[in-house]
Amino acid sequence: MARPRKDGKKSSGKKETPLMKQYYAIKAQHPGTILLFRVGDFYETFGEDAVEVSQVLGIVLTKRANGAASHIELAGFPHHSLDTYLPKLVRSGKRVAVCDQLEDPKQAKGIVKRGVTELVTPGVTFNDKVLDSNRNNYLASIHIHNTKQVGVAFVEVSTGDFFCFSGNFEYAEKVLQTLSPSEVLVSRSEFRQVLQHFGEKLYLSRLDDWVYQYDYAREKLLDLLQTTSLKGFGIEDDKIGTIAAGSIVHYLNETQQKNLGHISRIYPFDDSEFVWLDPFTIRNLELVHPLHPDGKALVDVIDQCLTPMGARGLRRAILLPLKDIQQIQKRLDTVETFLKHQNKLHELVDHFQQLGDLERLASKVATQRINPRESTLLRDSLRQIAPIQHTLQSFDAPILASKADSFSDATPALSVLDKYLLEEVSANLMDGQVIRGGVSEELDELRAIKRNGKDLLLAMQQREVERTGITSLKIGFNKVFGYYLEVTHAHKDKVPVEWTRKQTLTSAERYITEELKDYEEKILNAEERIQTLETQLYQQFLHQMQLHLHTLQHNAKVIAELDMLLGFARVAQSRQYVKPIIQDDDSLDIKQGRHPVIETTLPADSPYIPNDIQLDNESQQIIIITGPNMAGKSALLRQTALITLMAQMGCFVPADAAQIGIVDKIFTRVGASDNISSGESTFMVEMNETAQIANNATSKSLILLDEIGRGTSTYDGVSIAWALVEYLHETPSCQAKTLFATHYHELNELENRLPRVKNFNVSVKEIDGKILFLRTLKPGGSEHSFGINVAAMAGMPSTLVKRAKNLLKHFEQNRIDDKQSAKSVKFSSKPTVQLNMFELKDADTLKIRNILAGSDIDRMTPVEALLKLQEIKQALMD
């Protein structure tokens, strides 16, 4: 019977090769992981791994003999192509273990020792080819405590950011979708619950349940943070969040992440200081991802950052706008100061263009993954800090002087870099030419030998000639004896006694000396010894640099914020943005506002048409906007939200002027899409998003609604839209500032019923049956949709358009309005007219209304109800 192997597969029972035995032993330690197994100059994969790898990478799948056992699938690639193929595997959702040779094959006795040197997962990597320099790559962990509470933690191993929190499922889902972790850890027993609550879009990795125990998780956190208490980090009382955070530390250890000195703090995450943006709003406003492949997101337009950490900070600022007026004002004042001093602004740009990714370089120092070329980039970046400080101080503005003072002193770290590293270094440590001269006398001597070997031998030869008087003496070399001194027989009596004879020739004798053997060893082994010494010295350098990690990380954060604000100034200058006025009230007043993205995509001869928007909670809380499709209603809604969001980021805005009362939440219900995978229709998705708004809005929120109710019947849709407007107007706890774009002209009636509702329309002109979009917002409701005109513009067949116009004319002739006599309108075999459901005045309806007037439905018995129904029936038959 075949015996099971440790990796869970059955062995054939036949003898396997030593190499494959070693492979299976290592593979068994990493189940569910692609094992890249170093064999000579190649990384090889075997069996099921090989099949997967060949499919993902598009490389040839072959077979390899496995001793007496059967053949096994094989796929591999050259070791120097690791940076090409590893990112493809990780981005396809694979966990990858890199197994390297741990000894020199030339010196190995038997099979070469191998071991996993790195385990790369979607959420745990330092590889620049895998990471997006402009985005954070978060690893998250979820711990479900009960039906109401869940703990979540996030870590960014490439930067050292680490935070956790606990809350309800809705809050956890919002944060998860906002920060979009690349990988999420869950316990095996909670896997299905996580899928149920958070959907299937997350990349989930399962851990054993015992990892999610409080005592174990707390111990792992304390070990990482080198402390005895979590009180100083503000999470001591958050046991659920602590469990999630501790499981992350466990996973980092499990994935061979041993040097984690850059993760020295953990923060309690609290988004109460940020504007609430639910997942629908982030998607609908296209903040970081466009809805269409050829579209642009907000970040694509306003990102003028000069460093990767600035770009990452910008994305966080977009997704987490501020609510604190003082913080917002500081950002705006900084941007304004930059714009007032153009020459100095350009000086800063020059300095920032020479900066590397200081944040991720610091993490590479901590994990000892930084290569020599990256170390010089780190040094070049630190050298720019002093000039940046000097330029900031030259603005003669207190707000920038404080920024200059906020840097930590980088001189000690620079001293270490200057001490160890040459100005120009090779990319690979093994290539030599990394460590500066004067650090090691032995290294300096070996380099001199390697560089001047022949000269040193000639100098020795000349010295021995002068010492011994043997004028014919010469130094030679052969593969048998190495270096030797050759003396003709005529002078052999002058040979010193300390020389050792090695060979007698016909006309000469060959000798060696201790000095010559020393030089021979140094010359022949200089290169190898140089590599060894430089590696040792480079490790010393890294150990010393780790003492300055806090300085590197702190300065990276200061630079990231400055870079973002510098980018705000540059985009404001190029796009003619203005400084918004931020107020602690409920007003929103935008003069000649523009959509920041759309205006960049229009042809030069088609400028964007700006508009004014004014909202408050006293006289104009809700604006109902009517107008035809393509008139610009949706763009107007989105630009209002984007201008508000940009202002609370601390960015200038696309408008002539803007006064922004702080909002706490921004909600959008714009566009429609099915969620087929979850069995949800367009209408269900719409209602989910609308319910989210109704349940979470406050009086300080901003709500944007576009075509609510259009996914169902007309009467249902109008009813829902009408009720929603009433709810937002009449419910004190959620009287939010609202823009409501609609085709339901019935909603214009609300202006007469609700004092804070106002009607506006996006104007158009009709000329000879064709419409001209003016895209200007004007007071008053619109009575025409111009849908048929838009259909004609879209290229509908002319016969179809003509038929639609005839039907429309027929319907309008039979529409009931105040000028018509009150009589019912009936169509046999014709489509039913859409009546104004809130002003029904036909005779039948009036009869029913009169019969029911005064009836108390709640107290009516079943018999009385039947009698009343009979009365209505009789009245309609008369």
Side-chain angles (χ1 to χ4, degrees):
M1 182 175 178
R3 60 180 176 82
R5 289 203 307 254
K6 290 182 179 179
D7 61 358
K9 299 178 183 178
K10 290 184 178 180
S11 169
S12 65
K14 298 179 181 179
K15 188 174 182 181
E16 295 168 332
T17 64
L19 180 74
M20 292 310 299
K21 285 183 178 179
Q22 185 186 52
Y23 168 81
Y24 285 127
I26 297 174
K27 174 69 176 173
Q29 298 170 14
H30 302 281
T33 302
I34 300 291
L35 182 64
L36 299 182
F37 194 69
R38 179 73 179 268
V39 181
D41 291 333
F42 280 77
Y43 281 109
E44 305 284 12
T45 58
F46 302 99
E48 292 178 1
D49 282 4
V51 175
E52 276 194 88
V53 166
S54 67
Q55 292 173 347
V56 174
L57 302 181
I59 59 179
V60 176
L61 180 67
T62 62
K63 288 189 176 182
R64 170 194 177 97
N66 183 14
S70 60
H71 284 69
I72 186 168
E73 293 85 359
L74 167 69
F77 53 82
H79 73 93
H80 56 76
S81 299
L82 182 64
D83 284 344
T84 300
Y85 290 119
L86 179 61
K88 293 181 180 179
L89 290 170
V90 177
R91 286 174 185 154
S92 69
K94 309 296 182 186
R95 288 163 49 97
V96 182
V98 181
C99 180
D100 285 311
Q101 297 173 165
L102 302 181
E103 61 179 345
D104 187 344
K106 296 177 182 178
Q107 300 178 358
K109 294 180 180 179
I111 192 165
V112 176
K113 290 182 181 179
R114 292 179 174 87
V116 172
T117 55
E118 184 176 17
L119 204 161
V120 183
T121 76
V124 184
T125 181
F126 291 87
N127 190 301
D128 292 332
K129 303 292 184 180
V130 177
L131 295 169
D132 183 336
S133 62
N134 292 339
R135 300 182 184 183
N136 285 107
N137 189 63
Y138 287 113
L139 168 70
S141 180
I142 297 174
H143 170 55
I144 297 176
H145 178 63
N146 53 36
T147 58
K148 294 183 179 180
Q149 282 189 305
V150 59
V152 184
F154 287 82
V155 72
E156 223 282 29
V157 294
S158 70
T159 64
D161 287 340
F162 193 16
F163 50 88
C164 67
F165 66 89
S166 59
N168 59 34
F169 284 91
E170 182 185 26
Y171 177 61
E173 182 180 19
K174 172 188 174 295
V175 178
L176 284 163
Q177 292 200 35
T178 298
L179 299 180
S180 300
S182 299
E183 182 178 6
V184 179
L185 309 176
V186 297
S187 68
R188 297 186 186 280
S189 63
E190 295 176 356
F191 180 78
R192 291 188 180 278
Q193 286 180 276
V194 170
L195 283 181
Q196 178 185 348
H197 286 288
F198 303 109
E200 298 181 356
K201 294 181 180 179
L202 301 175
Y203 177 89
L204 301 179
S205 294
R206 282 172 271 197
L207 300 179
D208 291 332
D209 290 353
W210 60 264
V211 175
Y212 286 82
Q213 301 300 314
Y214 174 71
D215 290 340
Y216 176 76
R218 185 174 186 275
E219 180 184 348
K220 299 300 290 185
L221 266 181
L222 294 175
D223 287 346
L224 173 71
L225 303 174
Q226 296 292 295
T227 184
T228 58
S229 171
L230 296 175
K231 288 183 179 178
F233 301 102
I235 66 167
E236 181 71 28
D237 297 329
D238 185 3
K239 292 188 176 182
I240 308 172
T242 296
I243 292 173
S247 67
I248 282 182
V249 180
H250 167 88
Y251 188 67
L252 293 179
N253 294 335
E254 189 181 66
T255 53
Q256 311 293 318
Q257 309 301 321
K258 298 176 181 177
N259 301 306
L260 298 171
H262 62 302
I263 307 177
S264 57
R265 294 187 58 83
I266 184 169
Y267 300 90
F269 181 81
D270 179 10
D271 78 343
S272 62
E273 59 186 287
F274 305 117
V275 177
W276 172 288
L277 301 175
D278 62 30
F280 308 122
T281 298
I282 293 172
R283 180 197 67 204
N284 292 333
L285 292 181
E286 301 179 279
L287 298 182
V288 292
H289 298 292
L291 291 173
H292 305 287
D294 57 347
K296 280 186 177 181
L298 176 66
V299 69
D300 299 323
V301 172
I302 66 172
D303 183 1
Q304 293 202 23
C305 294
L306 299 165
T307 70
M309 55 255 195
R312 293 193 294 270
L314 171 62
R315 294 178 75 89
R316 286 194 297 272
I318 290 175
L319 296 172
L320 299 169
L322 301 173
K323 289 195 300 187
D324 184 271
I325 289 183
Q326 290 185 340
Q327 291 186 58
I328 297 170
Q329 199 62 53
K330 282 182 180 179
R331 288 184 180 180
L332 291 171
D333 291 345
T334 301
V335 174
E336 183 179 43
T337 305
F338 284 147
L339 287 170
K340 286 180 179 179
H341 301 81
Q342 290 295 312
N343 292 336
K344 294 182 175 62
L345 183 148
H346 293 312
E347 279 185 45
L348 281 177
V349 168
D350 290 340
H351 293 310
F352 273 76
Q353 286 175 332
Q354 300 178 59
L355 293 170
D357 194 341
L358 190 57
E359 196 171 32
R360 283 184 171 164
L361 289 173
S363 298
K364 287 187 175 184
V365 169
T367 57
Q368 300 185 30
R369 297 170 186 268
I370 190 168
N371 65 42
R373 189 68 55 80
E374 290 169 335
S375 292
T376 59
L377 179 58
L378 174 62
R379 178 178 59 192
D380 293 341
S381 299
L382 292 180
R383 284 176 176 174
Q384 293 301 318
I385 289 179
I388 288 172
Q389 287 179 291
H390 177 73
T391 305
L392 289 172
Q393 290 165 343
S394 71
F395 277 83
D396 196 23
I399 195 165
L400 292 185
S402 66
K403 293 286 185 186
D405 294 339
S406 66
F407 282 97
S408 293
D409 184 10
T411 305
L414 264 176
S415 298
V416 175
L417 286 155
D418 288 334
K419 173 185 174 182
Y420 278 91
L421 299 181
L422 292 165
E423 286 300 312
E424 295 290 336
V425 303
S426 56
N428 192 328
L429 181 61
M430 302 309 293
D431 293 338
Q433 296 303 305
V434 172
I435 303 299
R436 186 186 290 275
V439 175
S440 166
E441 291 184 7
E442 183 183 359
L443 179 61
D444 294 344
E445 183 182 0
L446 288 168
R447 282 176 173 166
I449 290 171
K450 180 181 176 182
R451 183 173 57 250
N452 306 312
K454 290 183 179 180
D455 293 339
L456 290 170
L457 289 171
L458 287 173
M460 183 188 295
Q461 177 179 307
Q462 185 61 36
R463 190 167 62 251
E464 292 298 329
V465 167
E466 293 175 358
R467 184 169 75 89
T468 63
I470 305 173
T471 56
S472 63
L473 183 146
K474 64 179 182 179
I475 295 179
F477 176 83
N478 66 32
K479 294 182 179 180
V480 178
F481 299 115
Y483 286 100
Y484 55 82
L485 296 167
E486 186 172 292
V487 179
T488 61
H489 290 309
H491 296 282
K492 66 179 182 180
D493 56 334
K494 299 178 182 178
V495 171
V497 295
E498 65 270 19
W499 289 15
T500 301
R501 188 175 58 166
K502 292 296 293 182
Q503 188 179 20
T504 301
L505 303 177
T506 304
S507 59
E509 297 281 350
R510 289 176 175 175
Y511 301 86
I512 59 171
T513 67
E514 287 298 320
E515 182 184 15
L516 186 58
K517 293 306 290 182
D518 287 343
Y519 269 100
E520 175 187 307
E521 184 177 352
K522 288 180 179 180
I523 292 170
L524 295 180
N525 299 319
E527 188 168 343
E528 182 179 344
R529 181 58 184 157
I530 286 172
Q531 287 182 352
T532 302
L533 262 180
E534 285 215 278
T535 300
Q536 293 172 352
L537 293 169
Y538 193 72
Q539 289 302 312
Q540 288 181 21
F541 155 72
L542 291 180
H543 285 304
Q544 290 196 32
M545 283 302 300
Q546 289 187 33
L547 301 175
H548 306 286
L549 275 178
H550 178 73
T551 296
L552 301 182
Q553 291 179 311
H554 175 77
N555 287 341
K557 292 187 183 302
V558 175
I559 288 171
E561 184 180 16
L562 277 170
D563 186 26
M564 181 182 73
L565 299 179
L566 197 59
F568 286 170
R570 297 170 69 213
V571 75
Q573 184 181 41
S574 62
R575 303 285 185 197
Q576 287 79 53
Y577 292 174
V578 299
K579 182 181 182 182
I581 298 172
I582 306 298
Q583 303 172 151
D584 189 15
D585 59 22
D586 296 321
S587 66
L588 178 65
D589 190 358
I590 300 171
K591 303 297 185 186
Q592 297 296 282
R594 314 185 304 274
H595 193 295
V597 179
I598 295 177
E599 72 170 350
T600 67
T601 63
L602 296 175
D605 59 348
S606 300
Y608 189 84
I609 306 299
N611 273 294
D612 295 348
I613 285 290
Q614 185 175 0
L615 290 166
D616 58 58
N617 287 16
E618 295 180 1
S619 61
Q620 194 159 290
Q621 175 205 340
I622 301 173
I623 292 179
I624 294 177
I625 305 173
T626 50
N629 287 321
M630 295 179 61
K633 301 191 301 296
S634 295
L636 183 60
L637 264 61
R638 286 184 170 98
Q639 80 182 38
T640 303
L642 291 175
I643 288 172
T644 303
L645 181 145
M646 290 170 67
Q648 293 193 213
M649 286 167 52
C651 180
F652 281 27
V653 299
D656 286 355
Q659 293 185 20
I660 309 294
I662 290 292
V663 302
D664 62 353
K665 301 176 183 181
I666 298 177
F667 296 99
T668 65
R669 213 335 293 172
V670 180
S673 61
D674 289 342
N675 189 358
I676 296 174
S677 63
S678 299
E680 294 180 349
S681 66
T682 298
F683 182 65
M684 188 60 184
V685 172
E686 180 182 291
M687 290 300 98
N688 284 336
E689 296 180 11
T690 306
Q692 176 90 309
I693 295 170
N695 291 325
N696 290 285
T698 73
S699 60
K700 295 190 73 65
S701 300
L702 174 64
I703 300 175
L704 310 171
L705 303 170
D706 192 4
E707 304 296 350
I708 292 296
R710 65 180 173 182
T712 185
S713 70
T714 302
Y715 288 159
D716 280 352
V718 174
S719 301
I720 292 169
W722 183 290
L724 179 60
V725 173
E726 285 185 334
Y727 181 83
L728 295 174
H729 186 278
E730 298 300 315
T731 307
S733 61
C734 60
Q735 291 177 345
K737 297 180 287 294
T738 304
L739 293 179
F740 196 148
T742 183
H743 279 101
Y744 295 139
H745 300 137
E746 291 84 357
L747 297 187
N748 287 331
E749 173 64 22
L750 287 165
E751 182 181 66
N752 301 322
R753 299 174 179 235
L754 303 174
R756 297 190 304 280
V757 174
K758 305 299 178 187
N759 292 332
F760 281 78
N761 71 90
V762 182
S763 60
V764 298
K765 272 189 178 180
E766 187 174 7
I767 304 174
D768 298 328
K770 296 182 178 179
I771 55 173
L772 175 65
F773 297 111
L774 302 180
R775 308 191 190 283
T776 302
L777 191 66
K778 292 186 176 181
S782 170
E783 301 209 356
H784 300 285
S785 294
F786 296 99
I788 295 175
N789 303 72
V790 174
M793 293 173 62
M796 285 282 191
S798 57
T799 55
L800 188 156
V801 173
K802 184 177 180 181
R803 172 61 175 158
K805 287 182 178 179
N806 289 335
L807 287 171
L808 178 63
K809 185 177 181 181
H810 175 75
F811 293 155
E812 287 181 339
Q813 286 175 349
N814 289 278
R815 186 177 299 277
I816 302 300
D817 57 26
D818 291 336
K819 296 179 181 179
Q820 281 187 288
S821 61
K823 68 176 183 178
S824 63
V825 178
K826 299 179 182 178
F827 292 92
S828 60
S829 72
K830 294 288 185 181
T832 304
V833 179
Q834 175 176 312
L835 301 176
N836 187 325
M837 63 177 292
F838 298 99
E839 295 293 338
L840 294 176
K841 297 180 181 178
D842 62 278
D844 288 344
T845 304
L846 289 173
K847 288 179 182 179
I848 296 170
R849 180 183 295 173
N850 291 333
I851 292 171
L852 293 176
S855 298
D856 190 344
I857 303 296
D858 294 332
R859 295 187 179 183
M860 189 177 290
T861 67
V863 174
E864 290 173 336
L866 288 171
L867 292 173
K868 186 65 67 175
L869 182 60
Q870 180 63 33
E871 184 181 350
I872 292 171
K873 179 180 179 182
Q874 188 62 44
L876 294 175
M877 293 175 65
D878 292 342

